[in-house]
Amino acid sequence: MKRYLVTGAAGFIGSHLCRQLLEADPACQVHAFDDLSGGKAANLDAAREAGGARLRVVSPDVGIWHVKRDEPFSAVFHLAAVVGVRRVLALGVRAFEQNQRITDDVVDWCRSLVDRGHPAPRLVYTSSSEVYGDVSTQPLREDMPVVLDPPTSVRACYAYEKAAAESHLLGLSAAGDLSCVVARLFNTVGPRQNLNYGAVLSAMVSRALRNESLEVFVERDPFDLVATTTRSFIHVEDTAAALRALAERGEVGQVYNVGCGAELTMHDLARKVKATLGSSSAVVEVEQPTDVRGCRRRVPDPSKLMGLGWRPLKRTEDAILDLAGYLREKGA
């Protein structure tokens, strides 16, 4: 029987991953760990329905050390982290410290399995496209150098922590002490995405359902020319499927972009939301606050991941409709 540990299991992506794992293998067990600082227990309802007793939820008031280690685990999916621009800015260096602490615990937990005579589980570490920083060359490939903001930037704490964790985990893998694959996640969207974390698509869909204005953040240069960011979006179901593919077929010690989709300006995204939902919302330009500004373009090259046989099955329109259905159901 295959056993999986998912940290951050009650979060947006983690809850979809748990359900997919249980549906894909009717004999597997999934041990779900989450301290519920960002996730919600209700997010695991679909996984409970799919797996019943095969979903083992670790109580939020205990650590992963309470997950049974007398039997081998096939893979560990490490998603637990402080995420979201607003939360990272609010916590500052504490976000760095919290993320580093849980990653150290996961590493020690994986090593403890080996100490007990079990094979090293495949560790899939979810990093972020923030690691690339503001790189001018697009699309982004895994072997490109990164361009991070100065370490004095509060927002940069998140990127620095993710980059440091990548280096640490890949270094341990090169030394034979770990079996890690790194997934750099791009803009993942879909049901259960937290509206309070500053995710642009969930905010737009929520406002479009009420026919409220859709805010597009813009920057103005000294010549009063307007610039807006561009992004591509991947449905959460495709992200979860990619993480499963990395656990099964990803090469240890390698980094993979997890992203897809056409590059969209925020104006394009707002128009797509309006058209998909038939909303009468107006599109309004808002000056972007200096403290939340990120890079203007971030487009992934997913060819390395696709070389493993993974393909995205959902469109941005699917994510918009699924988000809308979820928000209507929750009355948000």
Side-chain angles (χ1 to χ4, degrees):
M1 175 186 291
K2 290 185 176 180
R3 294 175 181 81
Y4 303 103
L5 171 63
V6 180
T7 72
F12 165 45
I13 299 173
S15 59
H16 287 274
L17 173 62
C18 288
R19 192 208 78 245
Q20 282 194 17
L21 289 168
L22 291 161
E23 288 179 344
D25 182 355
C28 78
Q29 289 181 354
V30 173
H31 296 253
F33 171 71
D34 200 302
D35 66 3
L36 301 183
S37 61
K40 299 178 181 178
N43 284 348
L44 287 169
D45 287 349
R48 289 190 183 91
E49 183 177 344
R54 293 186 294 118
L55 178 69
R56 310 290 180 86
V57 179
V58 182
S59 175
D61 59 350
V62 299
I64 62 172
W65 294 102
H66 289 261
V67 177
K68 187 177 181 181
R69 287 167 289 143
D70 294 333
E71 297 167 328
F73 277 71
S74 299
V76 174
F77 298 89
H78 179 28
L79 288 80
V82 176
V83 297
V85 173
R86 292 176 184 171
R87 287 188 74 200
V88 169
L89 288 174
L91 289 172
V93 71
R94 291 190 294 277
F96 185 110
E97 293 172 339
Q98 289 181 32
N99 289 349
Q100 189 174 52
R101 190 178 304 118
I102 182 59
T103 298
D104 288 343
D105 283 346
V106 170
V107 168
D108 291 341
W109 189 90
C110 290
R111 284 172 152 176
S112 73
L113 290 179
V114 177
D115 292 341
R116 290 170 180 250
H118 301 307
R122 176 65 55 85
L123 172 59
V124 179
Y125 174 67
T126 52
S127 184
S128 168
S129 62
E130 290 281 343
V131 167
Y132 287 107
D134 198 0
V135 180
S136 58
T137 303
Q138 305 281 335
L140 299 167
R141 301 187 316 274
E142 296 86 346
D143 59 353
M144 292 173 59
V146 300
V147 182
L148 295 179
D149 288 340
T152 50
S153 165
V154 176
R155 178 176 176 138
C157 274
Y158 182 74
Y160 274 93
E161 186 276 325
K162 287 295 185 181
E166 284 190 17
S167 180
H168 181 210
L169 298 178
L170 295 177
L172 289 174
S173 295
D177 295 331
L178 210 61
S179 181
C180 180
V181 175
V182 170
R184 285 183 183 161
L185 304 188
F186 284 71
N187 290 66
T188 300
V189 292
R192 302 183 208 137
Q193 192 162 26
N194 195 313
L195 290 174
N196 298 321
Y197 290 174
V200 61
L201 184 59
S202 57
M204 282 189 179
V205 170
S206 177
R207 295 180 69 86
L209 289 175
R210 300 190 296 268
N211 293 313
E212 297 175 356
S213 60
L214 307 186
E215 295 182 344
V216 174
F217 286 118
V218 298
E219 299 176 32
R220 295 184 182 277
D221 67 14
F223 301 98
D224 204 33
L225 297 176
V226 173
T228 183
T229 57
T230 69
R231 294 290 187 268
S232 66
F233 298 90
I234 176 172
H235 196 289
V236 64
E237 292 288 346
D238 288 329
T239 292
L243 296 178
R244 289 170 46 222
L246 292 180
E248 295 168 3
R249 302 183 295 279
E251 184 178 346
V252 171
Q254 291 295 308
V255 178
Y256 294 83
N257 286 335
V258 177
C260 64
E263 182 178 11
L264 297 172
T265 68
M266 295 303 99
H267 290 92
D268 291 337
L269 182 65
R271 286 190 285 267
K272 190 178 288 287
V273 168
K274 285 187 58 176
T276 302
L277 298 180
S279 172
S280 61
S281 296
V283 178
V284 179
E285 292 184 350
V286 177
E287 190 79 16
Q288 188 170 36
T290 304
D291 61 346
V292 300
R293 288 180 182 174
C295 69
R296 288 188 176 175
R297 296 184 68 199
R298 188 168 290 152
V299 184
D301 178 351
S303 57
K304 189 174 179 181
L305 175 62
M306 294 177 74
L308 302 179
W310 172 89
R311 295 291 185 275
L313 302 178
K314 301 276 191 175
R315 305 169 303 152
T316 304
E317 288 86 350
D318 296 319
I320 293 170
L321 290 171
D322 290 346
L323 253 172
Y326 172 75
L327 292 174
R328 287 190 182 107
E329 179 183 338
K330 297 299 179 183

